[in-house]
Amino acid sequence: MSEREFMEYDVVTVGAGPAGLAFAVRLKQIRPELSVCVIEKASTIGAQVLSGAVIEPQPLDELLPGWRDAPPPVCVPATEDEFWFLTRNGGRKAPMVPPQMRNHGNFIVSLGAMCAWMAPQAEALGVEIYPGFAAAEPYFNEDGSVGGVRIGDMGVARDGTHKPTYTQGIDIRAKVTVLAEGARGHLTKQLVKRYDLDALSDPQAYSIGIKELWQLPAGRAKPGRIVHSLGWPMDPSTYGGSFLYHLENDQVALGMVMGLDYRDPMFQPYEAFQQWKHHPTVKPLLEGGTILSAGARAVVTGGWQSLPKCEMPGAILIGDTAGLLNVPKIKGTHQAMRSGMLAAAHLAETLSPAGWDAKLRASPVMEELRRVRNIKPGFKRGLWMGLANAGWETLTGGRSPWTLKVKADWTSLEKLDGHEAPERDYVQRTLPPRDRLAGVYFAATEHDEDQPVHLRVRDTSICVDRCTEEYGNPCERFCPAGVYEMVEDEAGRRLQINAANCVHCKTCDIKDPYAIIDWVTPEGGSGPNYQNL
């Protein structure tokens, strides 16, 4: 094996989302002489960023004070909020919107488009940004500290041999590595384990967010209107809710966020979202319209009690990688940007991870999470108890003398034996897409069929035998892209992994009841190519 080529920087940032870009911009604003590099696994900046998204603008005001004069391409001021409780055939509009969901002064954006808009501003300050570079593994110094990242090799065939296009990945070495990979980061998962960063915290928890962007017939959209809902098609014991955001040019962004702590092994998050689109308050809006883009991603929802230690020798965690999303608000962008800017101020002063964890925990970022720490865990007792608990926590400002525990999502599935499936009063679907594979088309996901499978199942015999009997192979249902399929052929029953379908949501890495699936980065540039999600 030849010696790898390498590049050296003061700081390397993994991930060009809002946290990573805000960090890079702020660091160069404070100390322009530092060399800063941002690497991003997507083919272009923003191509794999997906969020609702309604953002609080204060961090942007601080980071880029003139941004309102030249805003991102999709940026609609919030004008009205609605909150609904849905039943199968109707629902009730809440007389008052919960405080956390009031959006006066906020903006509806495409987070992917916003990141693509931020990147040139970072580059203008001297930040070097490299899309299409997937950080395959950490690079370690001789003393065991993180010394940067190793970019994955390109041109490797499915069987591990080198194709004519083979190019060895380089090492990007740095004094400090900033992990801004988003929810369930591939490198972060390894480093949390290596340095035991979660020894004093609860396990991290997640939801799956599924989203579509629609073009409606002329005159239907009301730009700035924001609608959230609870209830149907979710059963009372399953956490989840919807969002519907009206944009300009007769477009709407819509989706559902569903907790991956659900218990029913037969539950299908993708199907639940498609059912919600057929609710009487939603379907008439969409009929006659067309899907422009679609995708899915994990949403980090463990909150205050699941925050791991955010520093280690040579590296720090920021944004969703650390787990900073405010669940009741369904917002993480402002938290991601705040944490990135705070980290930049810390590293500008010290150029060392030491002290970062304490600084983050003493900041308003963490205080915001502390106040709402009990709201999401309260829904484990069902919808109505969850709402009552949320009301109490909101009323008291999170001053309860207790902190509810968070458990790992993969432990929550009930086995088929003895499981009582909730009644799902689903309707006949007529709106597109017809199925998950049709939905994958709108994610514009691309993987070279002849590259190593990036979804690694440590023991597929468990899938064929134990999982079939105990859980009925839930991977066939929880994946929103039809990646996992149990097939029968002349060799018998086996697991088939359709890795080319993958939209990088990482639900399988989180929800598999045996915790034997590892999502790793595929070849750089592979994966979804979202448009304005």
Side-chain angles (χ1 to χ4, degrees):
M1 180 67 69
S2 61
E3 182 69 22
R4 285 182 182 262
E5 294 184 13
F6 65 91
M7 299 166 65
E8 288 190 286
Y9 294 88
D10 291 313
V11 181
V12 60
T13 305
V14 183
L21 290 172
F23 165 80
V25 167
R26 176 56 97 213
L27 187 57
K28 289 295 278 189
Q29 287 173 338
I30 302 171
R31 289 192 61 184
E33 76 278 9
L34 292 179
S35 56
V36 182
C37 166
V38 179
I39 60 170
E40 167 59 47
K41 66 182 177 67
S43 57
T44 60
I45 303 303
Q48 294 178 6
V49 175
L50 182 152
S51 182
V54 177
I55 64 164
E56 297 182 5
Q58 292 80 6
L60 260 184
D61 291 335
E62 184 182 340
L63 183 70
L64 300 167
W67 75 272
R68 293 171 193 248
D69 298 327
V74 180
C75 187
V76 182
T79 57
E80 60 176 309
D81 285 295
E82 294 182 15
F83 191 79
W84 284 74
F85 295 92
L86 302 183
T87 61
R88 184 179 185 273
N89 298 311
R92 179 167 296 183
K93 181 180 172 181
M96 188 174 71
V97 175
Q100 296 97 338
M101 307 192 89
R102 296 172 190 167
N103 287 291
H104 177 75
N106 295 337
F107 291 84
I108 308 170
V109 302
S110 157
L111 198 57
M114 191 180 102
C115 290
W117 165 85
M118 286 179 69
Q121 300 180 67
E123 289 175 317
L125 294 168
V127 178
E128 296 182 30
I129 301 179
Y130 298 109
F133 281 69
E137 55 187 280
Y139 172 81
F140 295 104
N141 296 316
E142 289 185 2
D143 63 0
S145 62
V146 179
V149 296
R150 176 159 288 175
I151 303 301
D153 297 346
M154 305 283 280
V156 178
R158 194 180 184 100
D159 63 3
T161 60
H162 294 174
K163 295 186 279 191
T165 56
Y166 174 76
T167 306
Q168 187 181 53
I170 65 170
D171 289 336
I172 298 185
R173 302 177 187 175
K175 296 170 185 171
V176 183
T177 301
V178 177
L179 295 161
E181 300 179 281
R184 196 66 166 190
H186 164 59
L187 300 188
T188 302
K189 179 181 170 182
Q190 298 175 51
L191 293 171
V192 165
K193 184 176 181 180
R194 179 184 177 101
Y195 295 106
D196 208 16
L197 301 181
D198 56 355
L200 300 179
S201 63
D202 287 352
Q204 190 54 267
Y206 301 88
S207 296
I208 180 174
I210 303 176
K211 179 183 177 182
E212 294 176 355
L213 178 69
W214 278 64
Q215 179 68 54
L216 303 183
R220 281 195 196 167
K222 299 177 180 178
R225 185 183 182 207
I226 294 172
V227 184
H228 290 102
S229 77
L230 292 175
W232 192 87
M234 312 300 287
D235 64 89
S237 65
T238 303
Y239 178 84
S242 75
F243 61 87
L244 179 61
Y245 303 151
H246 290 243
L247 307 172
E248 294 172 333
N249 304 315
D250 285 298
Q251 293 181 2
V252 290
L254 61 154
M256 285 194 77
V257 177
M258 294 154 277
L260 289 176
D261 56 354
Y262 67 81
R263 300 195 295 266
D264 178 13
M266 306 307 291
F267 180 60
Q268 302 178 66
Y270 186 83
E271 179 62 27
F273 167 55
Q274 298 302 328
Q275 286 289 320
W276 168 78
K277 284 164 51 182
H278 289 74
H279 190 269
T281 62
V282 182
K283 185 178 180 182
L285 180 73
L286 300 179
E287 283 182 315
T290 56
I291 302 176
L292 300 177
S293 189
R297 63 160 285 196
V299 181
V300 61
T301 55
W304 188 79
Q305 51 271 62
S306 296
L307 187 84
K309 187 176 180 181
C310 291
E311 68 179 68
M312 67 203 86
I316 65 172
L317 311 178
I318 61 173
D320 270 8
T321 290
L324 302 179
L325 182 133
N326 182 320
V327 179
K329 284 184 177 182
I330 332 175
K331 291 182 178 66
T333 303
H334 67 292
Q335 291 280 86
M337 293 185 69
R338 279 178 184 164
S339 70
M341 293 156 67
L342 188 68
H346 175 75
L347 292 184
E349 184 180 336
T350 67
L351 207 57
S352 167
W356 164 241
D357 186 73
K359 184 166 285 188
L360 178 63
R361 290 177 190 273
S363 74
V365 174
M366 283 307 296
E367 177 56 25
E368 180 171 322
L369 291 188
R370 189 197 63 79
R371 289 197 303 267
V372 299
R373 69 193 184 282
N374 288 327
I375 292 182
K376 167 64 168 61
F379 282 90
K380 287 187 181 295
R381 291 175 275 181
L383 175 62
W384 304 115
M385 284 293 289
L387 288 172
N389 174 70
W392 164 259
E393 292 291 337
T394 301
L395 191 66
T396 62
R399 294 186 183 90
S400 298
W402 57 80
T403 295
L404 300 179
K405 299 293 287 181
V406 175
K407 295 182 179 179
D409 296 315
W410 66 271
T411 66
S412 60
L413 272 189
E414 295 177 352
K415 294 183 178 179
L416 293 173
D417 183 21
H419 169 69
E420 235 179 272
E423 181 183 347
R424 302 208 180 275
D425 48 352
Y426 284 176
V427 300
Q428 184 70 32
R429 292 204 280 114
T430 56
L431 293 172
R434 66 182 183 277
D435 55 28
R436 287 180 294 177
L437 292 184
V440 168
Y441 168 80
F442 294 104
T445 194
E446 292 182 11
H447 298 84
D448 184 346
E449 293 279 1
D450 188 26
Q451 68 171 272
V453 173
H454 66 282
L455 302 149
R456 298 175 181 172
V457 182
R458 277 171 256 156
D459 185 351
T460 56
S461 69
I462 291 177
C463 310
V464 175
D465 301 321
R466 282 183 61 194
C467 190
T468 299
E469 182 179 339
E470 293 180 341
Y471 297 102
N473 302 118
C475 63
E476 293 187 294
R477 293 178 289 279
F478 60 54
C479 174
V483 170
Y484 297 92
E485 188 179 0
M486 299 302 297
V487 298
E488 298 251 9
D489 55 24
E490 60 278 0
R493 194 164 188 268
R494 61 180 176 83
L495 174 67
Q496 178 171 293
I497 300 177
N498 306 307
N501 294 355
C502 182
V503 296
H504 299 193
C505 74
K506 305 175 187 172
T507 299
C508 54
D509 192 300
I510 297 163
K511 189 59 180 174
D512 168 55
Y514 303 97
I516 58 171
I517 299 177
D518 287 304
W519 186 99
V520 303
T521 51
E523 190 171 283
S526 299
N529 290 280
Y530 297 139
Q531 300 298 313
N532 291 333
L533 283 188

